[in-house]
Amino acid sequence: MSNEKEENDPSIDEPEGPDESGVGTADSTGNGEDARDDGGRAPADDGVDEADGADDSTGEQPAVDDPSDPDELWDDTVVVDDPVSDDVEAGHEETNGATSEDGVEPTAERGIDDLGSSVEVEGADIDDDPDEDDLLGGLNIDTTAELEIPDRLVDQVIGQEHARDVIIKAAKQRRHVMMIGSPGTGKSMLAKAMSELLPKEELQDVLVYHNPEDGNKPKVRTVPAGKGDQIVDAHREEARKRNQMRSLLMWIIIAVVLGYALIIVGQILVGIIAAGVVYLVFRYLNRGSDAMIPNLLVNNGDTKTAPFRDATGAHAGALLGDVRHDPFQSGGMETPSHDRVEAGAIHKSNKGVLFIDEINTLDIRSQQHLMTAIQEGEFSITGQSERSSGAMVQTEPVPTDFVMIAAGNLDAMENMHPALRSRIKGYGYEVYMEDTIEDTPEMRRKYVRFIAQEVAKDGRLPEFSAEAVEEVILEAKRRSGRKGHLTLLFRNLGGLVRVAGDIARGEDSELTTRDHVLQAKGRSRSIEQQLADDFIERRKDYELQVSDGYVVGRVNGLAVMGEDSGIMLPVMAEVAPSQGPGEVIATGQLKEMAQESVSNVSAIIKKFSDENISEMDIHIQFVQAGQQGVDGDSASITVATAVISALEDVGVDQSLAMTGSLSVRGDVLPVGGVTHKIEAAAKAGCTRVIIPQANEQDVMIEDEYEDMIEVIPVSHISEVLDIALEGEAEKDSLVSRLKSITGSALKEGGVSSPSSPSPQ
């Protein structure tokens, strides 16, 4: 009994600052460092001990001692119910919490293969050996309503198996994680899933108290989640009782003063003045009593899972905490400093998850403070504006024992503070989020469940028919840009699902059908695709688009706007006598990679042409490239064909469009976006299109374009010229020179190229 009393007795003297060690007992989950308690501040149970709170014989509860007394500042001897039952505490394991309501075992104890790896179906079967062409992966359903949706987010994650495995391990061991990848691949969903895996039993409330010794240094204490509200309510009730007693005493004194002045002295004016003074004195005393009520800084009383805070784009005050400005700083009208303290996201996410997307957009000062919070597990709150009265206030350290998940695109690593990244990497994991995944029957079934999840989350969409689901999966194959793969950009794909559902709902349809999905594909075009289609129409109106005949020095090139929009971009070349050393001049807002590709083309021209180009200027124009300019090297074969056509004075077939990168030896290398480029050529009226042979497997054009255009894969520039240039006699000598230069590569049947395209 003596040991228990010594631990829980709220009257034990407390040190004013944190313990020199700064840490307490080891956390069962561990994260490579000593786990932290409240840093030597007030006892964790806030002095709210049921054993000491009331007299068993009377059932009465003692009053709260006057918090204005420094020696009794922490003596909150108030009877409150412990929100954490003994049963829960006894059942809490080191892993990641108790079983869920449906009796599922703790996630950390389950294998990664058991988490969302199968699709549960009511009233339908999965074929043992599904047909390769079955877009549902052997799933026998009529609508998405037949699918079961997992309750936990971690079970709903699709495609990012490695990232999901890391999140589960990180939740179990309390590790930090950095996820890098394209937008819409599920980074925020994984972060929220992690908060569900962390134990709720460790959550804490944080209270800030007035410091009578120095009002600008409020005291901080932590208590189990749910007790903070009870403590504040108890203090507020005691303050109300005190104020009532003081008010009664004030009115008695005022009555005595007025009676004395009126009856004894006979000076009513003096009595009124004296009564006013008494009133102001008591009001000031009442205000001082109210100031002793603690400020509940972090309240986790109603939190069902570990806290999840999204601090993406947060300013310094919202991230690190702040102190509100006080316009009344003197004269007894000022707000107590502890009442002006505001918690930041790093404090509200204590014992939970702090998620920051686009981590590189945080200013350097905020990143440095974030490093301190991660390293120390606590961070004091002070005013973030040096011109505010809050800049004078600084609390004791507030717990910040969170798991941080930082996210961003590939460029996020460039502007991220190297020390912050080092801390994440040193105490956690780095994960790259994939853009595509292999197309298998199992993944197709998961995509069916993804559509069902989107319908369930929205809550207003009609269920999808099996044919509508198949059309969405076809679009997922097409958007992947790779043969045998499915896209993992689920946010964009979810947009298609919602648009299709909106169309069906607008028609009062009971189901979303394939026709609705096809309509949605047209209506959900990106801005870039709408601009590209508009450009094509305008060029037709002004006869800028040439799609028949032969023209010297003009080639129909192909480009991609954004991620999913193709456009035809003519390239023109002209050769003129030079007044000095010959040079290649390219216009059209070319960016670095495009300029390098022009330089590579000039090397090929010098090899492949008999003309002495040192005495010539070669002018290359990307027609109507626009303000955005041209980036990437996918126009290399277009530029080379245009220049060689101009040098040899040979026409180029205008019913032909082309795309492809080019090595200095003349090999045609793969590029990105070939599907969208082919469709753009078809829309512009071309009947043939040249693409790199390595990209042949990536072609997944819509059915409506298959009969409109012929796709010709090539592996060398000589094949391009053989197809594109006019006539035979003029062309044969040039092509023969090309073949003689490259020699063995072409004789062996082609040039090997990378199997996967690089984005252009």
Side-chain angles (χ1 to χ4, degrees):
M1 284 298 291
S2 60
N3 291 339
E4 182 180 350
K5 176 66 178 176
E6 184 178 353
E7 285 184 358
N8 297 315
D9 190 355
S11 63
I12 296 176
D13 293 335
E14 291 291 325
E16 291 186 7
D19 187 284
E20 288 183 2
S21 65
V23 294
T25 59
D27 189 348
S28 61
T29 53
N31 63 350
E33 305 175 73
D34 292 335
R36 301 169 178 86
D37 59 3
D38 57 4
R41 293 178 291 276
D45 64 354
D46 195 43
V48 185
D49 193 337
E50 293 185 7
D52 301 322
D55 188 338
D56 293 338
S57 61
T58 62
E60 296 177 359
Q61 57 184 51
V64 177
D65 293 328
D66 186 357
S68 63
D69 184 354
D71 295 333
E72 302 297 337
L73 178 63
W74 306 109
D75 194 6
D76 297 330
T77 51
V78 183
V79 175
V80 293
D81 295 328
D82 189 350
V84 183
S85 67
D86 295 336
D87 293 338
V88 175
E89 290 179 352
H92 174 56
E93 298 179 358
E94 290 185 358
T95 56
N96 65 332
T99 59
S100 60
E101 295 179 358
D102 57 0
V104 181
E105 296 179 0
T107 305
E109 296 298 326
R110 301 171 62 190
I112 182 66
D113 295 334
D114 297 329
L115 293 169
S117 59
S118 62
V119 180
E120 301 296 337
V121 184
E122 293 182 357
D125 298 325
I126 300 176
D127 296 337
D128 294 333
D129 187 17
D131 190 90
E132 191 174 302
D133 296 329
D134 186 357
L135 291 172
L136 301 183
L139 193 60
N140 299 315
I141 61 169
D142 294 325
T143 71
T144 51
E146 301 173 32
L147 296 179
E148 292 181 354
I149 307 300
D151 294 329
R152 296 179 301 181
L153 284 175
V154 70
D155 295 332
Q156 297 180 18
V157 176
I158 295 172
Q160 304 291 352
E161 306 295 335
H162 172 62
R164 187 181 59 176
D165 191 12
V166 167
I167 286 295
I168 294 171
K169 288 183 172 66
K172 183 177 180 180
Q173 302 296 335
R174 295 189 66 83
R175 307 294 192 200
H176 305 298
V177 180
M178 183 166 73
M179 295 186 288
I180 299 297
S182 302
T185 51
K187 298 187 287 291
S188 59
M189 184 177 181
L190 282 166
K192 290 179 182 177
M194 189 181 204
S195 67
E196 295 180 356
L197 303 178
L198 293 174
K200 176 182 180 295
E201 290 79 5
E202 297 180 356
L203 300 187
Q204 298 172 329
D205 292 343
V206 180
L207 294 151
V208 181
Y209 285 79
H210 172 66
N211 185 351
E213 297 179 0
D214 187 347
N216 286 329
K217 294 184 178 179
K219 290 184 176 291
V220 174
R221 64 189 307 197
T222 59
V223 297
K227 290 188 177 180
D229 266 331
Q230 301 175 47
I231 293 170
V232 171
D233 290 343
H235 275 276
R236 188 175 287 113
E237 178 63 22
E238 289 301 319
R240 186 185 64 81
K241 292 179 180 178
R242 253 187 235 108
N243 290 341
Q244 285 181 344
M245 294 297 296
R246 286 174 179 166
S247 295
L248 179 60
L249 180 60
M250 177 190 70
W251 290 115
I252 292 174
I253 294 175
I254 289 176
V256 171
V257 169
L258 289 176
Y260 180 81
L262 181 62
I263 299 172
I264 305 301
V265 180
Q267 296 289 335
I268 186 60
L269 182 60
V270 174
I272 293 174
I273 294 174
V277 171
V278 171
Y279 177 80
L280 292 176
V281 168
F282 272 89
R283 285 297 299 261
Y284 182 80
L285 291 175
N286 284 345
R287 182 196 165 280
S289 177
D290 293 340
M292 295 303 105
I293 300 174
N295 175 16
L296 184 55
L297 193 65
V298 178
N299 184 5
N300 286 315
D302 297 328
T303 305
K304 303 301 181 184
T305 60
F308 173 81
R309 297 290 173 178
D310 188 345
T312 302
H315 58 78
L319 177 66
L320 307 171
D322 207 347
V323 180
R324 296 193 306 272
H325 175 69
D326 185 11
F328 305 103
Q329 301 179 28
S330 60
M333 301 180 66
E334 68 275 6
T335 304
S337 58
H338 77 283
D339 261 347
R340 295 187 283 121
V341 175
E342 298 284 350
I346 62 173
H347 308 106
K348 294 177 182 178
S349 58
N350 182 45
K351 301 299 183 182
V353 175
L354 176 68
F355 175 66
I356 304 179
D357 202 357
E358 304 299 336
I359 183 72
N360 55 311
T361 60
L362 280 181
D363 62 77
I364 294 298
R365 179 173 172 271
S366 294
Q367 292 190 46
Q368 290 171 334
H369 289 317
L370 193 57
M371 284 189 290
T372 303
I374 292 173
Q375 186 72 24
E376 303 298 330
E378 55 187 14
F379 192 83
S380 298
I381 298 176
T382 187
Q384 294 299 322
S385 173
E386 66 278 3
R387 290 172 292 185
S388 169
S389 60
M392 298 295 294
V393 178
Q394 184 170 9
T395 70
E396 289 182 342
V398 180
T400 57
D401 185 16
F402 55 80
V403 175
M404 189 174 86
I405 297 186
N409 302 326
L410 285 173
D411 61 349
M413 295 182 292
E414 299 176 4
N415 298 324
M416 186 178 177
H417 198 296
L420 177 59
R421 183 182 176 190
S422 174
R423 278 169 172 76
I424 297 175
K425 190 175 183 179
Y427 298 102
Y429 301 88
E430 290 187 344
V431 181
Y432 177 71
M433 306 291 287
E434 297 289 343
D435 290 341
T436 64
I437 193 169
E438 187 177 354
D439 181 11
T440 64
E442 181 185 4
M443 284 309 305
R444 291 181 182 182
R445 293 194 293 270
K446 290 185 180 181
Y447 270 73
V448 180
R449 194 186 68 194
F450 161 74
I451 298 170
Q453 289 173 185
E454 292 298 302
V455 172
K457 288 177 183 177
D458 190 277
R460 295 169 295 179
L461 304 179
E463 297 289 345
F464 276 57
S465 67
E467 293 77 15
V469 171
E470 290 176 347
E471 190 61 37
V472 174
I473 295 177
L474 277 175
E475 184 66 13
K477 291 165 62 72
R478 181 172 175 270
R479 292 187 180 187
S480 70
R482 297 178 61 186
K483 189 74 172 180
H485 282 73
L486 296 165
T487 181
L488 290 179
L489 302 181
F490 285 112
R491 184 177 296 130
N492 294 341
L493 198 63
L496 176 65
V497 171
R498 282 181 283 276
V499 172
D502 289 344
I503 294 173
R505 188 168 181 240
E507 296 178 359
D508 294 327
S509 175
E510 294 183 359
L511 289 176
T512 304
T513 65
R514 179 176 181 271
D515 184 60
H516 295 138
V517 176
L518 293 175
Q519 291 182 53
K521 289 168 69 173
R523 294 189 187 181
S524 62
R525 294 179 304 161
S526 65
I527 295 295
E528 290 85 356
Q529 185 62 59
Q530 295 177 48
L531 287 172
D533 292 344
D534 184 58
F535 287 162
I536 291 172
E537 291 301 319
R538 290 192 179 191
R539 287 174 178 173
K540 287 181 178 179
D541 292 342
Y542 293 99
E543 298 182 354
L544 295 175
Q545 204 77 51
V546 180
S547 57
D548 56 10
Y550 289 85
V551 178
V552 175
R554 186 188 187 280
V555 182
N556 291 321
L558 297 170
V560 171
M561 295 175 62
E563 297 179 353
D564 59 352
S565 310
I567 187 171
M568 197 158 81
L569 188 67
V571 175
M572 295 186 178
E574 189 62 63
V575 179
S578 174
Q579 302 298 320
E583 58 180 336
V584 177
I585 304 169
T587 60
Q589 301 280 349
L590 302 190
K591 297 182 181 179
E592 184 176 354
M593 188 178 293
Q595 291 176 347
E596 291 177 356
S597 71
V598 171
S599 300
N600 292 341
V601 168
S602 65
I604 296 171
I605 294 169
K606 292 175 183 177
K607 282 186 177 182
F608 293 172
S609 178
D610 282 341
E611 302 289 341
N612 185 6
I613 63 173
S614 63
E615 299 177 356
M616 302 178 182
D617 286 337
I618 300 176
H619 296 263
I620 303 170
Q621 179 187 11
F622 288 78
V623 180
Q624 292 185 325
Q627 296 180 351
Q628 300 299 323
V630 178
D631 193 11
D633 60 347
S634 63
S636 297
I637 65 170
T638 308
V639 172
T641 304
V643 172
I644 292 174
S645 169
L647 283 171
E648 302 291 332
D649 196 27
V650 179
V652 178
D653 185 2
Q654 297 302 297
S655 66
L656 176 75
M658 62 182 68
T659 183
S661 181
L662 200 61
S663 74
V664 293
R665 292 180 52 85
D667 306 325
V668 179
L669 306 178
V671 295
V674 289
T675 296
H676 306 296
K677 292 175 180 178
I678 293 171
E679 292 178 353
K683 291 178 185 178
C686 294
T687 57
R688 296 188 299 166
V689 61
I690 292 175
I691 66 168
Q693 190 170 23
N695 284 127
E696 186 177 8
Q697 61 178 356
D698 302 325
V699 177
M700 288 174 283
I701 61 176
E702 297 278 10
D703 295 340
E704 60 183 296
Y705 300 115
E706 288 186 355
D707 296 332
M708 295 173 58
I709 195 163
E710 177 188 359
V711 179
I712 306 172
V714 299
S715 60
H716 193 267
I717 185 63
S718 62
E719 299 175 61
V720 177
L721 299 177
D722 194 29
I723 297 167
L725 297 185
E726 179 184 17
E728 294 294 333
E730 298 87 346
K731 185 172 57 176
D732 287 342
S733 60
L734 182 58
V735 174
S736 63
R737 287 198 301 274
L738 292 172
K739 290 183 178 180
S740 65
I741 292 173
T742 54
S744 60
L746 288 176
K747 290 179 182 178
E748 292 173 2
V751 180
S752 60
S753 300
S755 59
S756 60
S758 56
Q760 306 296 330

